[in-house]
Amino acid sequence: MTRQLHRIVVADPAVLAAAAADRLMARIEANNNRMAICLTGGSSPKRLYQLLASEAYAKRIPWDRVHWFIGDERFVPPSDARNNMATARGIFLDRLAPKDNIHPVPTDAATPDESAGRYERELKSFYGADDLDPARPLFDLVLMGVGPDGHTASLFPGYPALAETKRWVTGVPQAHVAPFVPRVTLTLPSLASCREMLFEVAGEEKRAILDKLSKDESLPANRARSIGETVLLVDKAAAGE
Ligand code: 6PG
């Protein structure tokens, strides 16, 4: 990964989750108003979610004024174990966040595109405008992961969703990697509208894709960048150190 990326190498996944939690707390503490955090799916953020559920962090979070969104969703009901928001809800949100502050992608729509349209309307209503203003980012923090093919959120290499410049959210009829269910994803412009974009990448199995990202600028994870700060938190195993 290149271009305005701040890379931080940490010892292992436990340190990585703590570093992510501290960055999230710093973003919360830097904003005294209503604010939005965009969560992510996959396995990478689970330790972070567990930390946020722990008393040490939970008591420091002003739950009433923090709103939680998700950057991409698998087009399955919330009762399905593959549903990304359901994972976050199960680990910390349902117990700690007011219901009105939890903003899942509505996967009860007829199609992924209809679901995307509804989520886009929800984001615009939260933001209070139909156009993103670089002076007023939509999110304080956007969490991201990196998939084995260099995808991030559900923006897969070579897919039309990657080229989207107008829509904030779009349907992805077919996934490029498992789980092979349709997806709903925020697009590059809406993900970029944040004070900080934070990638969490850990484990030896991520080494190959990190190598590839250092050589291929066109991969989705290299094209997702914040209009503010973009940080890659990586552990030693993934970094090859
Ligand atoms: C999803 C994700 C996806 C994920 C990466 C990394 O719905 O699958 O949001 O973009 O972040 O695939 O996944 P892991 O954390 O499981 O490696």
Side-chain angles (χ1 to χ4, degrees):
M1 290 192 202
T2 53
R3 218 161 15 94
Q4 332 154 260
L5 186 76
H6 178 194
R7 179 181 153 115
I8 303 172
V9 182
V10 297
D12 56 41
V15 180
L16 192 146
D22 290 342
R23 296 195 74 90
L24 183 143
M25 289 312 306
R27 287 292 161 190
I28 289 179
E29 281 155 15
N31 185 343
N32 292 323
N33 302 310
R34 187 185 71 146
M35 58 176 298
I37 292 180
C38 187
L39 301 172
T40 186
S43 54
S44 305
K46 284 186 186 166
R47 277 175 185 261
L48 165 64
Y49 297 165
Q50 282 157 1
L51 275 185
L52 299 180
S54 71
E55 206 200 328
Y57 285 94
K59 68 176 185 213
R60 289 170 56 201
I61 297 176
W63 294 99
D64 283 350
R65 62 180 181 84
V66 183
H67 287 253
W68 308 88
F69 293 86
I70 190 107
D72 76 310
E73 189 54 271
R74 287 90 179 260
F75 194 62
V76 293
S79 56
D80 188 303
R82 296 168 297 185
N83 187 288
N84 285 334
M85 195 56 138
T87 300
R89 295 182 79 143
I91 301 177
F92 75 108
L93 290 177
D94 280 347
R95 189 165 56 81
L96 295 158
K99 199 171 176 297
D100 289 349
N101 293 15
I102 307 173
H103 303 265
V105 171
T107 54
D108 59 348
T111 63
D113 251 326
E114 183 191 314
S115 167
R118 278 168 57 188
Y119 206 47
E120 178 165 320
R121 281 195 294 282
E122 182 162 350
L123 280 166
K124 286 180 172 174
S125 143
F126 177 85
Y127 186 64
D130 285 348
D131 295 306
L132 293 165
D133 175 358
R136 191 169 69 85
L138 170 58
F139 300 112
D140 285 74
L141 183 73
V142 170
L143 295 172
M144 299 283 246
V146 175
D149 54 353
H151 81 261
T152 191
S154 284
L155 297 168
F156 299 105
Y159 276 40
L162 197 55
E164 183 58 56
T165 56
K166 288 201 174 61
R167 291 185 61 175
W168 293 18
V169 190
T170 188
V172 179
Q174 221 179 340
H176 190 242
V177 296
F180 292 101
V181 291
R183 313 289 184 98
V184 175
T185 188
L186 269 66
T187 57
L188 290 176
S190 55
L191 290 166
S193 183
C194 60
R195 296 180 197 283
E196 176 173 337
M197 181 180 285
L198 179 61
F199 285 89
E200 285 185 87
V201 181
E204 208 185 324
E205 66 280 9
K206 298 280 181 179
R207 201 181 294 175
I209 188 58
L210 282 185
D211 273 353
K212 211 170 161 199
L213 283 167
S214 67
K215 295 174 194 129
D216 185 352
E217 291 258 317
S218 70
L219 286 169
N222 274 338
R223 296 182 51 192
R225 290 289 182 270
S226 170
I227 55 169
E229 196 181 355
T230 306
V231 176
L232 169 64
L233 270 178
V234 56
D235 77 342
K236 284 187 174 172
E241 288 180 12

